[in-house]
Amino acid sequence: MTAEGEHPKTTAPPAGSARRAIVGRLSWGLADQAASSMTNFAVGIYVARSLGLTAFGVFSLAWVTYGVVLSVSRGLATDPLVVRFSGVSDASWRRAVARSSGTALGVGAAIGAACLVVGPAFGGRVGPAFACLGVMLPGLLLQDAWRYSFFAAGTGRKAFVNDLVWGVALVPAMVVAARVGSVAAFVLAWGASAAVAAVYGCFQSGIRPQLTGARAWLREHRDLGYRYLVENTGVSGASQLRAYGLGAIVGVSAVGMVRGAELLLGPFLAVLMGLSLVTVAEAARVLRRAPHRLGKFCLLLGGGQAVAALLWGGALLLMPDQLGEFVLGDVWHGASDLIVPATLGVAGAGLGTGAAAGLRALGAARRSLRSQLFASACYVGGGLGGAAVAGTIGSAWGVAAATVCGSAVWWLHLRSALRERHHDSIPEVRTP
């Protein structure tokens, strides 16, 4: 008999069928992230072309703030769900998802209320944008929680459909926002369409989020949740600090340039993020069924993503200026100068995600936390130090160097964790 959240021992399936199952789940992860990233890409392009560089920088500040809040939600709610409830019985999954999604909804409501209070203090264009973000956060976080819940159950098709619903709802919302012509209107349109998909997720799963179960969820998974909270906010918090610092040192338009370079890498980032939806769950499955293959799985995962990033960056360098201006408008000229360092930074991040998936599958939260804190400190230091020395381009090169260094630390910790697990699995030999 196994307790809820534990993985019962199962007989390993034939190698061919196991590989096909992994490929199928990874394919749905890529398809889902393609839908999600195309939505984000369309929003970014539409805002950049509609509002210009400075207003796009304001929208980007709201965007990176959302990324921090999303990291809080994932660390407390969905990351423990994926680690402990991937491949369990349907009854265990449903109980866990009800409390996990309730936790995500509660995080959105709490931080959203704070944004409503603090937002007006910023004034200008930034204040209304942050206030609107606060209103939309509960729906945004709940929609993301459904995605991770479906992948934990191995039903990535449902996550893909949910993101398609978001994309369809976004079309009329963007048209209305364009007529209003303000950053706040675009934030509302983006968040309202996500809320439509969040409600649809309740019908897809047949589960109603339990806000009352949030406290129990946090208590039962505090050993992972709070470490993942710090780890995740280290990632997104570093991005936010860099964006705010870059805006203060160089100007808000520089934030728009960096976001424009990220949009150029959007299709590849869709692959990177799509794989991240399922890599921890897949690494956990590999660990249960064939522990000796975990290191190779992580190496293939990270190395493949790094190579793909370099290939995509090379293709971007061949893009004619006319096409770039058509896509990004006035943002293109500044963003195009950042392609090389941005590509190297994404390649370094892709390499590190393989090791990160392995550490999370092993439950080595302490090691993954140390790795992420080191990587985040390097990211902020490189980004702001480079900005102080050489402006926007210096910030981009500083981030690229920091990301490669952080990836090396991730792999050193994974190697140590694998050695520890191998040592612990060797039975002690007693001599008479």
Side-chain angles (χ1 to χ4, degrees):
M1 181 176 179
T2 59
E4 180 182 344
E6 294 181 355
H7 300 293
K9 294 181 179 180
T10 57
T11 302
S17 62
R19 281 194 294 268
R20 286 193 296 271
I22 291 175
V23 170
R25 289 189 290 267
L26 290 176
S27 297
W28 278 118
L30 291 174
D32 170 73
Q33 190 58 45
S36 176
S37 293
M38 285 305 296
T39 298
N40 295 338
F41 182 76
V43 171
I45 294 298
Y46 203 65
V47 175
R49 291 180 60 85
S50 300
L51 300 181
L53 185 58
T54 301
F56 183 59
V58 174
F59 183 84
S60 299
L61 289 176
W63 187 282
V64 296
T65 302
Y66 157 72
V68 175
V69 180
L70 185 64
S71 297
V72 173
S73 175
R74 287 178 177 175
L76 295 177
T78 53
D79 283 344
L81 176 77
V82 171
V83 171
R84 288 181 168 163
F85 294 91
S86 293
V88 300
S89 68
D90 183 67
S92 295
W93 175 82
R94 293 180 70 83
R95 287 193 297 270
V97 168
R99 293 181 296 165
S100 174
S101 59
T103 302
L105 192 60
V107 169
I111 302 182
C115 287
L116 283 171
V117 173
V118 176
F122 288 107
R125 292 178 174 179
V126 177
F130 272 72
C132 292
L133 177 64
V135 174
M136 295 293 105
L137 277 176
L140 285 163
L141 298 190
L142 181 58
Q143 191 275 337
D144 185 75
W146 290 132
R147 297 173 67 210
Y148 277 78
S149 299
F150 292 141
F151 278 109
T155 55
R157 176 181 58 83
K158 291 185 177 180
F160 173 71
V161 172
N162 192 276
D163 273 321
L164 283 183
V165 170
W166 185 0
V168 171
L170 187 64
V171 174
M174 285 286 108
V175 172
V176 174
R179 291 181 178 178
V180 177
S182 68
V183 177
F186 279 103
V187 173
L188 285 175
W190 166 55
S193 55
V196 172
V199 173
Y200 179 66
C202 297
F203 291 99
Q204 280 182 295
S205 62
I207 299 172
R208 185 174 63 183
Q210 293 181 359
L211 276 169
T212 55
R215 180 176 297 179
W217 177 264
L218 294 174
R219 182 176 62 253
E220 292 171 10
H221 302 285
R222 62 180 178 273
D223 58 324
L224 294 181
Y226 293 124
R227 284 196 175 101
Y228 289 158
L229 168 65
V230 177
E231 181 181 329
N232 289 354
T233 53
V235 179
S236 54
S239 298
Q240 189 176 28
L241 287 174
R242 183 219 180 176
Y244 288 169
L246 187 60
I249 296 171
V250 184
V252 176
S253 60
V255 181
M257 291 169 59
V258 170
R259 178 60 184 156
E262 292 174 351
L263 285 174
L264 292 173
L265 289 161
F268 173 75
L269 291 174
V271 175
L272 181 65
M273 296 178 67
L275 290 173
S276 70
L277 286 171
V278 293
T279 49
V280 177
E282 291 306 321
R285 290 184 176 97
V286 171
L287 181 64
R288 291 199 307 272
R289 296 170 179 170
H292 61 285
R293 296 179 181 171
L294 180 61
K296 182 179 179 181
F297 173 82
C298 295
L299 182 60
L300 290 174
L301 180 67
Q305 291 178 90
V307 171
L310 294 175
L311 292 175
W312 182 261
L316 288 176
L317 292 174
L318 301 177
M319 179 184 293
D321 287 338
Q322 293 85 348
L323 180 58
E325 292 172 358
F326 174 77
V327 174
L328 289 179
D330 294 339
V331 179
W332 161 254
H333 296 287
S336 61
D337 294 334
L338 308 181
I339 290 176
V340 173
T343 298
L344 294 176
V346 172
L351 183 62
T353 56
L359 284 175
R360 289 204 167 186
L362 289 166
R366 184 172 299 177
R367 287 190 175 278
S368 63
L369 176 59
R370 291 173 182 170
S371 300
Q372 190 55 68
L373 290 178
F374 176 84
S376 297
C378 288
Y379 183 93
V380 174
L384 297 185
V389 172
T392 308
I393 188 68
S395 178
W397 279 108
V399 165
T403 305
V404 173
C405 292
S407 178
V409 171
W410 276 107
W411 279 101
L412 288 173
H413 274 286
L414 176 61
R415 185 178 68 172
S416 298
L418 289 172
R419 286 179 175 177
E420 288 175 359
R421 188 181 190 282
H422 177 70
H423 180 268
D424 293 341
S425 65
I426 300 176
E428 182 180 359
V429 178
R430 296 184 180 273
T431 56

